[in-house]
PDB file of all heavy atoms in Angstrom:
ATOM      1  N   LEU A 200      99.177  87.969 122.409  1.00  0.00           N
ATOM      2  CA  LEU A 200      98.486  86.713 122.172  1.00  0.00           C
ATOM      3  C   LEU A 200      99.285  85.598 122.802  1.00  0.00           C
ATOM      4  O   LEU A 200      98.772  84.625 123.336  1.00  0.00           O
ATOM      5  CB  LEU A 200      98.370  86.475 120.588  1.00  0.00           C
ATOM      6  CG  LEU A 200      97.207  85.699 120.036  1.00  0.00           C
ATOM      7  CD1 LEU A 200      95.836  86.130 120.573  1.00  0.00           C
ATOM      8  CD2 LEU A 200      97.177  85.592 118.571  1.00  0.00           C
ATOM      9  N   ALA A 201     100.738  85.728 122.712  1.00  0.00           N
ATOM     10  CA  ALA A 201     101.470  84.705 123.188  1.00  0.00           C
ATOM     11  C   ALA A 201     101.308  84.562 124.766  1.00  0.00           C
ATOM     12  O   ALA A 201     101.454  83.562 125.351  1.00  0.00           O
ATOM     13  CB  ALA A 201     102.981  85.086 122.888  1.00  0.00           C
ATOM     14  N   ALA A 202     100.889  85.772 125.339  1.00  0.00           N
ATOM     15  CA  ALA A 202     100.781  85.614 126.887  1.00  0.00           C
ATOM     16  C   ALA A 202      99.409  85.066 127.279  1.00  0.00           C
ATOM     17  O   ALA A 202      99.283  84.921 128.549  1.00  0.00           O
ATOM     18  CB  ALA A 202     100.886  87.112 127.390  1.00  0.00           C
ATOM     19  N   VAL A 203      98.584  84.819 126.357  1.00  0.00           N
ATOM     20  CA  VAL A 203      97.170  84.239 126.772  1.00  0.00           C
ATOM     21  C   VAL A 203      97.477  82.778 126.966  1.00  0.00           C
ATOM     22  O   VAL A 203      97.975  82.027 126.299  1.00  0.00           O
ATOM     23  CB  VAL A 203      96.210  84.463 125.584  1.00  0.00           C
ATOM     24  CG1 VAL A 203      94.969  83.559 125.749  1.00  0.00           C
ATOM     25  CG2 VAL A 203      95.915  85.846 125.225  1.00  0.00           C
ATOM     26  N   ALA A 204      96.973  82.384 128.134  1.00  0.00           N
ATOM     27  CA  ALA A 204      97.174  80.937 128.566  1.00  0.00           C
ATOM     28  C   ALA A 204      96.070  80.153 127.698  1.00  0.00           C
ATOM     29  O   ALA A 204      94.931  80.340 127.820  1.00  0.00           O
ATOM     30  CB  ALA A 204      96.823  80.758 130.009  1.00  0.00           C
ATOM     31  N   VAL A 205      96.620  79.118 126.968  1.00  0.00           N
ATOM     32  CA  VAL A 205      95.676  78.576 125.925  1.00  0.00           C
ATOM     33  C   VAL A 205      94.835  77.527 126.623  1.00  0.00           C
ATOM     34  O   VAL A 205      95.265  76.808 127.526  1.00  0.00           O
ATOM     35  CB  VAL A 205      96.510  77.800 124.949  1.00  0.00           C
ATOM     36  CG1 VAL A 205      95.760  77.046 123.980  1.00  0.00           C
ATOM     37  CG2 VAL A 205      97.362  78.856 124.194  1.00  0.00           C
ATOM     38  N   ASP A 206      93.610  77.596 126.199  1.00  0.00           N
ATOM     39  CA  ASP A 206      92.534  76.725 126.737  1.00  0.00           C
ATOM     40  C   ASP A 206      92.598  75.476 125.737  1.00  0.00           C
ATOM     41  O   ASP A 206      92.030  75.713 124.487  1.00  0.00           O
ATOM     42  CB  ASP A 206      91.193  77.263 126.717  1.00  0.00           C
ATOM     43  CG  ASP A 206      90.080  76.392 127.184  1.00  0.00           C
ATOM     44  OD1 ASP A 206      90.284  75.154 127.086  1.00  0.00           O
ATOM     45  OD2 ASP A 206      88.947  76.897 127.506  1.00  0.00           O
ATOM     46  N   GLU A 207      93.227  74.276 126.083  1.00  0.00           N
ATOM     47  CA  GLU A 207      93.354  73.355 125.046  1.00  0.00           C
ATOM     48  C   GLU A 207      92.040  72.704 124.546  1.00  0.00           C
ATOM     49  O   GLU A 207      91.978  72.303 123.341  1.00  0.00           O
ATOM     50  CB  GLU A 207      94.217  72.226 125.681  1.00  0.00           C
ATOM     51  CG  GLU A 207      95.599  72.487 125.912  1.00  0.00           C
ATOM     52  CD  GLU A 207      96.452  72.951 124.730  1.00  0.00           C
ATOM     53  OE1 GLU A 207      96.103  72.656 123.478  1.00  0.00           O
ATOM     54  OE2 GLU A 207      97.421  73.592 124.924  1.00  0.00           O
ATOM     55  N   ASN A 208      90.947  72.933 125.237  1.00  0.00           N
ATOM     56  CA  ASN A 208      89.548  72.469 124.829  1.00  0.00           C
ATOM     57  C   ASN A 208      88.996  73.563 123.815  1.00  0.00           C
ATOM     58  O   ASN A 208      87.934  73.256 123.301  1.00  0.00           O
ATOM     59  CB  ASN A 208      88.612  72.334 125.847  1.00  0.00           C
ATOM     60  CG  ASN A 208      89.129  71.242 126.860  1.00  0.00           C
ATOM     61  OD1 ASN A 208      89.698  70.260 126.443  1.00  0.00           O
ATOM     62  ND2 ASN A 208      89.069  71.608 128.236  1.00  0.00           N
ATOM     63  N   ALA A 209      89.737  74.677 123.682  1.00  0.00           N
ATOM     64  CA  ALA A 209      89.070  75.710 122.815  1.00  0.00           C
ATOM     65  C   ALA A 209      89.388  75.509 121.367  1.00  0.00           C
ATOM     66  O   ALA A 209      88.864  76.417 120.573  1.00  0.00           O
ATOM     67  CB  ALA A 209      89.437  77.035 123.363  1.00  0.00           C
ATOM     68  N   ALA A 210      90.167  74.621 120.910  1.00  0.00           N
ATOM     69  CA  ALA A 210      90.577  74.478 119.492  1.00  0.00           C
ATOM     70  C   ALA A 210      89.304  74.173 118.648  1.00  0.00           C
ATOM     71  O   ALA A 210      88.354  73.656 119.264  1.00  0.00           O
ATOM     72  CB  ALA A 210      91.628  73.520 119.378  1.00  0.00           C
ATOM     73  N   GLY A 211      89.382  74.385 117.406  1.00  0.00           N
ATOM     74  CA  GLY A 211      88.440  73.909 116.498  1.00  0.00           C
ATOM     75  C   GLY A 211      88.865  73.667 115.072  1.00  0.00           C
ATOM     76  O   GLY A 211      90.109  73.775 114.855  1.00  0.00           O
TER      77      GLY A 211
END
Side-chain angles (χ1 to χ4, degrees):
L200 210 53
V203 170
V205 175
D206 175 346
E207 294 299 339
N208 298 321

